[in-house]
Coordinates of all heavy atoms in Angstrom, one line a residue:
M1 N 0.9 -1.2 0.1 CA 0.0 0.0 0.0 C 1.0 1.2 0.0 O 1.8 1.3 0.8 CB -0.8 0.0 1.2 CG -1.8 1.1 1.4 SD -2.9 1.2 2.8 CE -3.9 -0.3 2.7
S2 N 0.6 2.2 -0.9 CA 1.4 3.4 -1.0 C 1.1 4.3 0.2 O 0.1 4.1 0.9 CB 1.1 4.1 -2.3 OG -0.1 4.7 -2.3
E3 N 1.9 5.3 0.4 CA 1.6 6.3 1.4 C 0.3 7.1 1.2 O -0.5 7.2 2.1 CB 2.8 7.3 1.6 CG 2.7 8.2 2.7 CD 3.7 9.2 2.9 OE1 4.8 9.0 2.3 OE2 3.5 10.2 3.5
L4 N 0.1 7.3 0.0 CA -1.2 8.0 -0.4 C -2.4 7.1 0.0 O -3.4 7.6 0.5 CB -1.2 8.3 -1.9 CG -2.5 9.1 -2.4 CD1 -2.9 10.3 -1.6 CD2 -2.4 9.3 -3.8
E5 N -2.4 5.9 -0.4 CA -3.4 4.9 -0.1 C -3.6 4.8 1.4 O -4.8 4.7 1.9 CB -3.2 3.5 -0.7 CG -3.3 3.5 -2.2 CD -2.8 2.2 -2.8 OE1 -1.9 1.6 -2.2 OE2 -3.3 1.8 -3.8
A6 N -2.5 4.7 2.1 CA -2.6 4.6 3.6 C -3.3 5.9 4.2 O -4.2 5.7 5.1 CB -1.2 4.5 4.3
V7 N -3.0 7.0 3.7 CA -3.5 8.3 4.2 C -5.0 8.2 3.8 O -5.9 8.6 4.7 CB -2.8 9.5 3.7 CG1 -3.6 10.8 4.0 CG2 -1.4 9.6 4.2
R8 N -5.3 7.8 2.6 CA -6.7 7.8 2.3 C -7.6 6.8 3.1 O -8.7 7.1 3.4 CB -6.9 7.5 0.8 CG -6.5 8.6 -0.2 CD -6.6 8.2 -1.6 NE -6.3 9.4 -2.5 CZ -6.1 9.3 -3.7 NH1 -6.0 8.2 -4.3 NH2 -5.9 10.5 -4.4
K9 N -7.0 5.7 3.5 CA -7.6 4.7 4.3 C -7.8 5.3 5.7 O -9.0 5.2 6.3 CB -6.7 3.5 4.4 CG -7.3 2.4 5.3 CD -8.5 1.8 4.6 CE -8.9 0.6 5.4 NZ -10.3 0.1 4.9
E10 N -6.8 6.1 6.2 CA -7.1 6.8 7.5 C -8.2 7.8 7.4 O -9.0 7.9 8.3 CB -5.7 7.5 7.9 CG -5.7 8.0 9.3 CD -4.5 8.5 9.8 OE1 -3.5 8.4 9.0 OE2 -4.4 9.1 10.9
I11 N -8.2 8.5 6.3 CA -9.3 9.5 6.1 C -10.6 8.8 6.1 O -11.7 9.3 6.7 CB -9.1 10.3 4.8 CG1 -7.9 11.3 5.1 CG2 -10.4 11.1 4.4 CD1 -7.5 12.0 3.8
E12 N -10.7 7.7 5.4 CA -12.0 6.8 5.3 C -12.4 6.4 6.7 O -13.6 6.6 7.0 CB -11.7 5.7 4.4 CG -13.0 4.8 4.2 CD -12.8 3.5 3.5 OE1 -11.8 3.5 2.7 OE2 -13.6 2.6 3.6
E13 N -11.5 6.0 7.5 CA -11.9 5.6 8.9 C -12.4 6.9 9.7 O -13.3 6.7 10.5 CB -10.6 5.1 9.6 CG -10.3 3.6 9.0 CD -9.0 3.1 9.5 OE1 -8.4 3.7 10.5 OE2 -8.4 2.1 8.9
I14 N -11.7 8.0 9.6 CA -12.3 9.2 10.3 C -13.5 9.6 9.7 O -14.5 10.0 10.5 CB -11.1 10.3 10.0 CG1 -9.9 10.0 10.8 CG2 -11.8 11.7 10.4 CD1 -8.7 11.0 10.4
D15 N -13.8 9.5 8.4 CA -15.1 9.8 7.8 C -16.2 9.0 8.5 O -17.3 9.4 8.8 CB -15.1 9.7 6.5 CG -14.4 10.8 5.6 OD1 -14.1 11.8 6.3 OD2 -14.1 10.6 4.4
R16 N -15.9 7.7 8.6 CA -16.9 6.7 9.3 C -17.1 7.1 10.8 O -18.3 7.1 11.2 CB -16.3 5.3 9.3 CG -16.4 4.7 7.9 CD -16.1 3.1 8.1 NE -16.6 2.4 7.0 CZ -17.9 2.1 6.8 NH1 -18.8 2.5 7.6 NH2 -18.3 1.4 5.8
E17 N -16.1 7.6 11.4 CA -16.2 8.0 12.8 C -17.2 9.3 12.9 O -18.0 9.4 13.7 CB -14.9 8.3 13.4 CG -14.1 7.0 13.7 CD -12.7 7.5 14.3 OE1 -12.6 8.4 15.2 OE2 -11.8 6.7 14.0
I18 N -16.8 10.3 12.0 CA -17.6 11.5 12.0 C -19.1 11.1 11.7 O -20.1 11.6 12.3 CB -17.1 12.4 10.9 CG1 -15.7 13.0 11.2 CG2 -18.1 13.5 10.5 CD1 -15.0 13.7 10.1
L19 N -19.4 10.3 10.7 CA -20.8 9.8 10.3 C -21.5 9.1 11.5 O -22.6 9.4 11.8 CB -20.8 9.0 9.1 CG -20.5 9.8 7.8 CD1 -20.3 8.8 6.7 CD2 -21.5 10.8 7.6
S20 N -20.6 8.4 12.3 CA -21.2 7.7 13.4 C -21.6 8.7 14.5 O -22.6 8.6 15.1 CB -20.2 6.7 13.9 OG -20.7 6.0 15.1
L21 N -20.8 9.6 14.7 CA -21.1 10.7 15.7 C -22.3 11.5 15.2 O -23.1 11.9 16.1 CB -19.8 11.5 16.0 CG -18.7 10.9 16.7 CD1 -17.4 11.8 16.7 CD2 -19.1 10.5 18.1
I22 N -22.4 11.8 14.0 CA -23.6 12.5 13.5 C -24.8 11.8 13.8 O -25.8 12.4 14.2 CB -23.4 12.9 12.0 CG1 -22.3 13.9 11.7 CG2 -24.7 13.4 11.4 CD1 -21.9 14.2 10.3
D23 N -24.7 10.5 13.5 CA -25.9 9.6 13.8 C -26.3 9.6 15.2 O -27.5 9.8 15.6 CB -25.5 8.2 13.4 CG -26.7 7.2 13.6 OD1 -27.8 7.4 13.1 OD2 -26.5 6.2 14.4
K24 N -25.3 9.5 16.1 CA -25.5 9.5 17.6 C -26.1 10.8 17.9 O -27.0 10.9 18.8 CB -24.1 9.3 18.3 CG -24.2 9.2 19.7 CD -22.8 8.8 20.3 CE -22.9 8.8 21.8 NZ -21.6 8.4 22.3
R25 N -25.6 12.0 17.4 CA -26.1 13.3 17.7 C -27.6 13.5 17.3 O -28.4 13.9 18.1 CB -25.3 14.4 17.0 CG -25.5 15.8 17.4 CD -24.7 16.8 16.6 NE -24.6 18.1 17.2 CZ -25.6 18.9 17.1 NH1 -26.8 18.7 16.5 NH2 -25.5 20.1 17.6
V26 N -27.9 13.0 16.1 CA -29.2 13.1 15.6 C -30.2 12.3 16.4 O -31.3 12.6 16.7 CB -29.3 12.8 14.1 CG1 -30.7 12.6 13.5 CG2 -28.6 13.8 13.3
N27 N -29.8 11.1 16.8 CA -30.6 10.2 17.6 C -30.9 10.7 18.9 O -31.8 10.2 19.6 CB -30.0 8.8 17.6 CG -30.3 8.1 16.2 OD1 -31.3 8.2 15.7 ND2 -29.2 7.4 15.8
L28 N -30.1 11.7 19.4 CA -30.4 12.3 20.7 C -31.6 13.3 20.7 O -32.2 13.7 21.6 CB -29.2 13.1 21.2 CG -28.1 12.3 21.8 CD1 -26.8 13.1 22.1 CD2 -28.5 11.5 23.1
A29 N -32.1 13.4 19.5 CA -33.2 14.3 19.2 C -34.5 14.0 20.0 O -35.3 14.7 20.5 CB -33.6 14.4 17.7
E30 N -34.7 12.6 20.1 CA -35.9 12.2 20.9 C -35.8 12.6 22.4 O -36.8 13.1 22.9 CB -36.0 10.6 20.8 CG -37.1 10.1 21.4 CD -37.5 8.6 21.1 OE1 -36.6 8.0 20.4 OE2 -38.5 8.0 21.6
K31 N -34.6 12.5 23.0 CA -34.5 13.0 24.4 C -34.7 14.5 24.5 O -35.3 15.0 25.3 CB -33.1 12.5 24.9 CG -33.1 11.0 25.2 CD -31.7 10.7 25.7 CE -31.5 9.1 26.0 NZ -30.3 8.7 26.5
V32 N -34.1 15.2 23.5 CA -34.1 16.5 23.5 C -35.6 17.0 23.4 O -36.1 18.0 24.0 CB -33.3 17.2 22.3 CG1 -33.6 18.6 22.1 CG2 -31.8 17.0 22.6
L33 N -36.3 16.4 22.4 CA -37.8 16.7 22.2 C -38.6 16.4 23.5 O -39.4 17.3 23.8 CB -38.3 15.9 21.1 CG -39.7 16.1 20.6 CD1 -40.0 17.5 20.3 CD2 -40.2 15.1 19.6
E34 N -38.3 15.4 24.2 CA -39.0 15.1 25.4 C -38.8 16.2 26.4 O -39.8 16.7 27.1 CB -38.7 13.7 25.9 CG -39.3 12.5 25.2 CD -38.8 11.3 25.7 OE1 -38.5 11.2 27.0 OE2 -38.7 10.3 24.9
S35 N -37.6 16.6 26.6 CA -37.3 17.7 27.5 C -37.9 19.0 27.1 O -38.4 19.8 28.0 CB -35.7 17.9 27.6 OG -35.2 16.8 28.2
K36 N -37.9 19.3 25.8 CA -38.5 20.5 25.3 C -40.0 20.5 25.5 O -40.6 21.5 26.0 CB -38.2 20.7 23.8 CG -36.8 21.0 23.5 CD -36.6 21.3 22.1 CE -35.2 21.8 21.7 NZ -34.9 22.0 20.3
R37 N -40.7 19.3 25.4 CA -42.1 19.2 25.7 C -42.3 19.6 27.1 O -43.3 20.3 27.5 CB -42.6 17.8 25.3 CG -42.8 17.6 23.8 CD -43.3 16.2 23.5 NE -43.6 16.1 22.1 CZ -43.6 15.0 21.4 NH1 -43.5 13.9 22.1 NH2 -43.8 15.0 20.2
I38 N -41.6 19.0 28.0 CA -41.8 19.1 29.5 C -41.5 20.6 29.8 O -42.3 21.1 30.7 CB -40.8 18.3 30.2 CG1 -41.2 16.8 30.1 CG2 -40.7 18.7 31.7 CD1 -40.2 15.8 30.6
N39 N -40.6 21.2 29.2 CA -40.1 22.6 29.6 C -41.0 23.7 28.8 O -40.9 24.9 29.0 CB -38.8 22.9 29.3 CG -37.8 22.1 30.3 OD1 -38.2 21.9 31.4 ND2 -36.7 21.7 29.8
G40 N -41.7 23.2 27.7 CA -42.5 24.1 27.0 C -41.7 24.9 26.0 O -42.0 25.9 25.6
T41 N -40.6 24.4 25.6 CA -39.7 25.0 24.7 C -40.0 24.6 23.3 O -40.4 23.4 23.0 CB -38.2 24.6 25.0 OG1 -37.9 24.8 26.4 CG2 -37.2 25.4 24.1
S42 N -39.9 25.5 22.3 CA -40.2 25.2 20.9 C -39.1 24.2 20.4 O -38.0 24.3 20.9 CB -40.4 26.5 20.1 OG -39.2 26.9 19.7
I43 N -39.4 23.5 19.3 CA -38.4 22.7 18.7 C -37.3 23.5 18.2 O -36.1 23.1 18.4 CB -39.1 21.9 17.6 CG1 -40.0 20.7 18.2 CG2 -38.0 21.2 16.7 CD1 -40.7 19.9 17.3
N44 N -37.5 24.6 17.5 CA -36.4 25.4 17.0 C -36.1 26.5 18.1 O -36.7 27.6 18.1 CB -36.8 26.1 15.7 CG -35.6 26.7 15.1 OD1 -34.4 26.8 15.7 ND2 -35.8 27.3 13.9
D45 N -35.2 26.1 19.1 CA -34.8 27.0 20.1 C -33.6 27.8 19.7 O -32.5 27.5 19.8 CB -34.4 26.1 21.4 CG -34.1 26.9 22.6 OD1 -33.8 28.1 22.5 OD2 -33.9 26.3 23.7
R46 N -34.0 29.0 19.1 CA -32.9 29.9 18.5 C -31.8 30.2 19.6 O -30.7 30.3 19.1 CB -33.5 31.1 18.0 CG -34.5 30.8 16.8 CD -35.0 32.0 16.1 NE -36.1 31.7 15.2 CZ -36.0 31.2 14.1 NH1 -34.8 30.9 13.6 NH2 -37.0 31.0 13.3
K47 N -32.2 30.4 20.7 CA -31.1 30.8 21.8 C -30.1 29.7 22.0 O -28.9 29.9 22.0 CB -31.8 31.1 23.2 CG -30.8 31.6 24.2 CD -31.5 31.9 25.6 CE -32.1 33.3 25.5 NZ -32.5 33.7 26.9
Q48 N -30.6 28.5 22.0 CA -29.7 27.3 22.2 C -28.9 27.0 20.9 O -27.7 26.7 21.0 CB -30.5 26.1 22.6 CG -29.7 24.8 22.7 CD -28.6 24.9 23.8 OE1 -28.7 25.6 24.7 NE2 -27.6 24.1 23.6
N49 N -29.5 27.2 19.8 CA -28.8 27.2 18.5 C -27.6 28.1 18.5 O -26.5 27.7 18.1 CB -29.7 27.5 17.3 CG -30.9 26.5 17.2 OD1 -31.0 25.5 17.8 ND2 -31.8 26.9 16.4
E50 N -27.8 29.2 19.0 CA -26.7 30.2 19.1 C -25.6 29.8 19.9 O -24.5 30.0 19.7 CB -27.3 31.6 19.5 CG -26.3 32.7 19.4 CD -27.0 34.1 19.7 OE1 -28.1 34.4 19.2 OE2 -26.4 34.9 20.4
V51 N -26.0 29.3 21.2 CA -25.1 28.7 22.0 C -24.2 27.6 21.4 O -23.0 27.6 21.6 CB -25.7 28.1 23.3 CG1 -24.8 27.3 24.2 CG2 -26.4 29.3 24.2
V52 N -24.9 26.7 20.7 CA -24.2 25.6 20.0 C -23.1 26.2 19.0 O -22.0 25.7 18.9 CB -25.2 24.6 19.4 CG1 -24.4 23.6 18.5 CG2 -26.0 23.9 20.5
I53 N -23.7 27.2 18.1 CA -22.8 27.8 17.1 C -21.6 28.4 17.8 O -20.5 28.2 17.2 CB -23.6 28.7 16.3 CG1 -24.7 28.0 15.4 CG2 -22.7 29.5 15.3 CD1 -24.2 27.1 14.3
N54 N -21.8 29.2 18.8 CA -20.8 30.0 19.4 C -19.7 29.0 20.0 O -18.5 29.2 19.9 CB -21.3 30.9 20.5 CG -22.0 32.1 19.9 OD1 -21.7 32.6 18.7 ND2 -22.9 32.8 20.6
R55 N -20.2 27.9 20.7 CA -19.3 26.9 21.3 C -18.4 26.3 20.1 O -17.2 26.2 20.2 CB -20.1 25.9 22.0 CG -19.2 24.8 22.7 CD -20.1 23.9 23.5 NE -21.1 23.2 22.7 CZ -22.4 23.0 23.0 NH1 -22.9 23.5 24.2 NH2 -23.2 22.4 22.3
A56 N -19.1 26.0 19.0 CA -18.4 25.4 17.8 C -17.3 26.3 17.3 O -16.2 26.0 17.0 CB -19.3 25.0 16.8
L57 N -17.7 27.7 17.2 CA -16.8 28.6 16.7 C -15.6 28.9 17.6 O -14.4 29.0 17.2 CB -17.6 30.0 16.4 CG -18.6 29.9 15.3 CD1 -19.3 31.2 15.1 CD2 -18.1 29.3 14.0
N58 N -15.8 28.9 18.9 CA -14.8 29.0 19.8 C -13.7 27.9 19.7 O -12.5 28.1 19.7 CB -15.3 29.2 21.2 CG -16.0 30.5 21.5 OD1 -15.8 31.5 20.8 ND2 -16.9 30.5 22.5
T59 N -14.3 26.6 19.7 CA -13.4 25.5 19.5 C -12.7 25.4 18.2 O -11.5 25.2 18.1 CB -14.3 24.3 19.6 OG1 -15.0 24.2 20.9 CG2 -13.4 22.9 19.6
A60 N -13.4 25.9 17.1 CA -12.8 26.0 15.8 C -11.6 27.0 15.8 O -10.5 26.7 15.3 CB -13.7 26.4 14.7
T61 N -11.8 28.1 16.5 CA -10.7 29.1 16.6 C -9.5 28.6 17.4 O -8.4 28.7 17.0 CB -11.3 30.4 17.3 OG1 -12.3 30.9 16.6 CG2 -10.2 31.4 17.5
E62 N -9.8 27.8 18.5 CA -8.8 27.1 19.3 C -8.0 26.1 18.5 O -6.7 26.0 18.6 CB -9.4 26.4 20.5 CG -9.9 27.4 21.6 CD -10.6 26.5 22.6 OE1 -10.6 25.3 22.7 OE2 -11.4 27.1 23.4
L63 N -8.7 25.4 17.6 CA -8.0 24.4 16.7 C -7.5 25.0 15.4 O -7.0 24.2 14.6 CB -9.1 23.3 16.5 CG -9.5 22.5 17.7 CD1 -10.6 21.6 17.3 CD2 -8.4 21.7 18.3
N64 N -7.6 26.3 15.2 CA -7.1 26.9 14.0 C -7.8 26.3 12.7 O -7.2 26.1 11.8 CB -5.7 26.8 13.9 CG -5.1 27.9 12.9 OD1 -5.7 29.0 12.8 ND2 -4.0 27.6 12.3
L65 N -9.2 26.1 12.9 CA -9.9 25.6 11.8 C -10.7 26.8 11.1 O -10.8 27.9 11.7 CB -11.0 24.6 12.2 CG -10.4 23.2 12.8 CD1 -11.5 22.5 13.4 CD2 -9.7 22.5 11.7
D66 N -11.1 26.7 9.9 CA -11.9 27.7 9.1 C -13.2 27.8 9.9 O -14.0 27.0 9.8 CB -12.1 27.2 7.7 CG -12.9 28.2 6.9 OD1 -13.4 29.2 7.4 OD2 -12.9 28.0 5.6
V67 N -13.3 29.0 10.6 CA -14.5 29.3 11.3 C -15.8 29.4 10.5 O -16.8 28.9 10.8 CB -14.3 30.6 12.1 CG1 -15.6 31.0 12.9 CG2 -13.2 30.5 13.1
G68 N -15.7 29.9 9.3 CA -16.8 29.9 8.4 C -17.4 28.6 8.0 O -18.6 28.3 8.0
S69 N -16.5 27.7 7.7 CA -16.8 26.3 7.3 C -17.4 25.6 8.5 O -18.4 24.8 8.4 CB -15.6 25.5 6.8 OG -15.2 26.1 5.6
V70 N -16.8 25.7 9.7 CA -17.4 25.1 10.9 C -18.7 25.6 11.2 O -19.6 24.8 11.6 CB -16.4 25.3 12.1 CG1 -17.1 24.9 13.4 CG2 -15.0 24.5 11.8
K71 N -18.9 26.8 11.0 CA -20.3 27.4 11.2 C -21.3 26.8 10.3 O -22.4 26.4 10.8 CB -20.4 29.0 11.0 CG -21.6 29.6 11.3 CD -21.6 31.1 11.2 CE -22.9 31.6 11.6 NZ -23.1 33.0 11.3
E72 N -21.0 26.6 9.1 CA -21.9 26.0 8.1 C -22.1 24.5 8.5 O -23.3 24.1 8.5 CB -21.2 25.9 6.7 CG -21.2 27.3 6.0 CD -20.6 27.3 4.6 OE1 -20.9 26.3 3.9 OE2 -19.7 28.1 4.3
I73 N -21.2 23.8 8.9 CA -21.4 22.4 9.4 C -22.3 22.3 10.5 O -23.3 21.5 10.6 CB -20.0 21.7 9.7 CG1 -19.1 21.6 8.5 CG2 -20.2 20.4 10.5 CD1 -17.7 21.2 8.7
F74 N -22.1 23.2 11.6 CA -23.0 23.2 12.7 C -24.3 23.6 12.4 O -25.3 23.2 13.0 CB -22.3 23.9 13.8 CG -21.4 23.0 14.7 CD1 -20.1 22.7 14.2 CD2 -21.9 22.2 15.7 CE1 -19.4 21.8 14.9 CE2 -21.1 21.3 16.4 CZ -19.8 21.1 16.0
E75 N -24.5 24.5 11.5 CA -25.9 25.0 11.1 C -26.7 23.7 10.3 O -27.7 23.5 10.6 CB -25.8 26.1 10.1 CG -25.5 27.4 10.7 CD -25.2 28.6 9.7 OE1 -24.9 28.3 8.5 OE2 -25.2 29.8 10.3
I76 N -25.8 22.9 9.7 CA -26.5 21.8 9.0 C -26.8 20.8 10.1 O -27.9 20.2 10.1 CB -25.5 21.2 8.0 CG1 -25.4 22.0 6.8 CG2 -25.9 19.7 7.6 CD1 -24.2 21.6 5.9
L77 N -25.9 20.6 11.1 CA -26.2 19.6 12.2 C -27.5 20.1 13.0 O -28.3 19.2 13.4 CB -25.0 19.5 13.1 CG -23.8 18.8 12.5 CD1 -22.6 18.9 13.5 CD2 -24.0 17.3 12.3
I78 N -27.6 21.4 13.2 CA -28.7 21.9 14.0 C -30.0 21.6 13.1 O -31.0 21.1 13.6 CB -28.6 23.4 14.3 CG1 -27.5 23.5 15.4 CG2 -29.9 24.0 14.7 CD1 -27.0 24.9 15.6
R79 N -29.9 21.9 11.8 CA -31.1 21.6 10.9 C -31.5 20.1 11.0 O -32.7 19.8 11.0 CB -30.9 22.1 9.5 CG -31.0 23.6 9.3 CD -31.1 23.9 7.8 NE -30.2 23.3 6.9 CZ -29.0 23.9 6.6 NH1 -28.6 25.0 7.2 NH2 -28.1 23.3 5.8
M80 N -30.5 19.3 11.0 CA -30.8 17.9 11.0 C -31.5 17.4 12.3 O -32.4 16.7 12.3 CB -29.5 17.0 10.8 CG -28.9 17.2 9.4 SD -27.3 16.3 9.4 CE -27.8 14.6 9.6
S81 N -31.1 18.0 13.3 CA -31.7 17.8 14.7 C -33.1 18.4 14.8 O -34.0 17.6 15.3 CB -30.9 18.4 15.8 OG -31.4 18.2 17.1
I82 N -33.3 19.5 14.3 CA -34.6 20.1 14.3 C -35.6 19.2 13.4 O -36.7 18.9 13.8 CB -34.6 21.6 13.8 CG1 -34.0 22.5 14.8 CG2 -36.0 22.1 13.4 CD1 -33.5 23.8 14.4
E83 N -35.1 18.9 12.2 CA -35.9 18.0 11.3 C -36.2 16.8 12.0 O -37.4 16.3 11.9 CB -35.2 17.8 10.0 CG -36.0 17.0 9.0 CD -37.4 17.6 8.7 OE1 -37.5 18.8 8.5 OE2 -38.4 16.9 8.7
R84 N -35.3 16.1 12.7 CA -35.5 14.8 13.4 C -36.6 15.1 14.4 O -37.5 14.2 14.6 CB -34.3 14.3 14.0 CG -34.5 13.0 14.7 CD -34.8 11.8 13.7 NE -34.9 10.6 14.5 CZ -35.9 9.7 14.3 NH1 -36.8 9.9 13.4 NH2 -35.9 8.6 15.1
Q85 N -36.5 16.1 15.2 CA -37.5 16.4 16.3 C -38.8 16.7 15.7 O -39.9 16.1 16.2 CB -37.1 17.7 17.1 CG -35.8 17.4 17.9 CD -35.3 18.6 18.6 OE1 -36.0 19.2 19.4 NE2 -34.0 19.0 18.4
N86 N -38.9 17.4 14.6 CA -40.1 17.6 13.9 C -40.8 16.3 13.4 O -42.0 16.1 13.6 CB -39.9 18.5 12.6 CG -39.9 20.0 13.1 OD1 -40.7 20.4 14.0 ND2 -39.1 20.7 12.4
E87 N -39.9 15.4 12.8 CA -40.3 14.1 12.3 C -40.9 13.3 13.6 O -42.0 12.7 13.4 CB -39.2 13.4 11.8 CG -39.4 12.0 11.3 CD -38.1 11.2 10.8 OE1 -37.4 11.9 10.0 OE2 -37.9 10.1 11.2
L88 N -40.2 13.3 14.7 CA -40.6 12.5 15.9 C -42.0 13.1 16.4 O -42.8 12.4 17.0 CB -39.6 12.5 16.9 CG -38.4 11.7 16.7 CD1 -37.3 12.2 17.7 CD2 -38.6 10.2 16.7
S89 N -42.2 14.5 16.2 CA -43.5 15.0 16.8 C -44.6 14.9 15.7 O -45.7 15.5 16.0 CB -43.2 16.5 17.1 OG -43.0 17.3 16.1
G90 N -44.3 14.4 14.5 CA -45.3 14.3 13.5 C -45.5 15.4 12.6 O -46.3 15.5 11.8
K91 N -44.4 16.3 12.7 CA -44.5 17.5 11.9 C -43.4 17.5 10.8 O -43.1 18.5 10.2 CB -44.3 18.8 12.7 CG -45.3 18.9 13.8 CD -45.0 20.1 14.7 CE -45.9 20.2 15.8 NZ -45.5 21.3 16.8
G92 N -42.7 16.4 10.6 CA -41.6 16.4 9.7 C -42.0 16.4 8.3 O -43.0 16.1 7.8
S93 N -40.9 16.8 7.4 CA -41.2 16.8 5.9 C -40.4 15.6 5.3 O -40.3 15.6 4.1 CB -40.7 18.1 5.4 OG -39.3 18.4 5.8
L94 N -39.7 14.8 6.1 CA -39.0 13.7 5.5 C -39.9 12.6 5.1 O -41.0 12.3 5.6 CB -38.0 13.1 6.5 CG -36.8 14.1 6.8 CD1 -35.9 13.4 7.9 CD2 -35.9 14.4 5.7
P95 N -39.7 11.9 4.0 CA -40.6 10.7 3.6 C -40.6 9.6 4.5 O -39.7 9.4 5.3 CB -40.0 10.3 2.3 CG -38.6 10.9 2.2 CD -38.5 12.0 3.2

């Protein structure tokens, strides 16, 4: 195996880990939704979304990552969570 192939294999493993963590994060939507129902919080909690984004941006800055790209990634993750919560509450748009 060439060095390039080895690096690509390592990237593939990291991608699988990232996807596994995304799956884990999205599946927490059920617990989040139950807590929101108890607390009377709307599914799209803009204040919490801002907290999550700011936390991600701070960490991205610490890690010297592209803050704009990290913000886009976390906006997508938040949308995925909101969609999953909507789906669980019967308001989803997914098939």
Side-chain angles (χ1 to χ4, degrees):
M1 180 181 300
S2 73
E3 184 177 341
L4 178 58
E5 289 172 327
V7 171
R8 286 180 174 163
K9 182 70 174 164
E10 188 174 355
I11 289 170
E12 180 182 342
E13 291 171 12
I14 291 169
D15 289 347
R16 285 189 159 287
E17 289 176 39
I18 290 169
L19 291 169
S20 178
L21 289 171
I22 290 170
D23 179 61
K24 187 175 181 178
R25 188 184 197 285
V26 170
N27 284 322
L28 286 171
E30 188 169 0
K31 289 181 181 178
V32 170
L33 179 62
E34 287 177 28
S35 293
K36 285 180 177 180
R37 284 180 176 158
I38 290 167
N39 294 326
T41 308
S42 85
I43 286 177
N44 189 0
D45 183 348
R46 294 185 194 283
K47 184 183 274 189
Q48 180 60 22
N49 297 349
E50 190 175 314
V51 168
V52 171
I53 295 286
N54 287 333
R55 183 175 58 224
L57 297 181
N58 289 336
T59 303
T61 300
E62 290 171 16
L63 296 173
N64 200 30
L65 294 172
D66 179 350
V67 174
S69 295
V70 168
K71 183 176 183 186
E72 288 179 46
I73 291 166
F74 274 81
E75 286 171 342
I76 291 167
L77 291 172
I78 289 168
R79 279 197 312 270
M80 289 173 74
S81 180
I82 289 169
E83 183 56 45
R84 180 70 177 134
Q85 290 173 58
N86 280 324
E87 179 185 311
L88 290 167
S89 69
K91 301 175 188 173
S93 60
L94 294 177

